[in-house]
Amino acid sequence: MTKWCFNYESGEYEYIGKDGYSIDRGEYVYNWDDSEYRREEKEEEERRRNDEEDD
């Protein structure tokens, strides 16, 4: 699944996968804002931690 992320190289928003592959450009990009992916991972980790505490 891709997310709408800012590509610092092009100065534009693009659909970029978690691995850095830009669907719009058809190539990997290396200087892009991955904060949405990091936020999602952090939330998932917190959910798992809460689930473990509930057990």
Side-chain angles (χ1 to χ4, degrees), residues 16-45:
I16 301 176
K18 189 175 183 177
D19 61 355
Y21 187 79
S22 172
I23 299 300
D24 298 328
R25 293 185 164 275
E27 64 186 12
Y28 286 94
V29 295
Y30 299 98
N31 190 11
W32 57 284
D33 181 7
D34 67 345
S35 61
E36 284 297 312
Y37 287 108
R38 287 185 280 122
R39 181 187 55 77
E40 189 176 76
E41 288 175 359
K42 183 178 178 182
E43 288 174 355
E44 181 62 31
E45 184 178 317

Side-chain angles (χ1 to χ4, degrees), residues 4-19:
W4 190 240
C5 302
F6 188 75
N7 179 350
Y8 294 111
E9 294 172 1
S10 69
E12 298 176 358
Y13 280 89
E14 304 172 8
Y15 285 102
I16 301 176
K18 189 175 183 177
D19 61 355

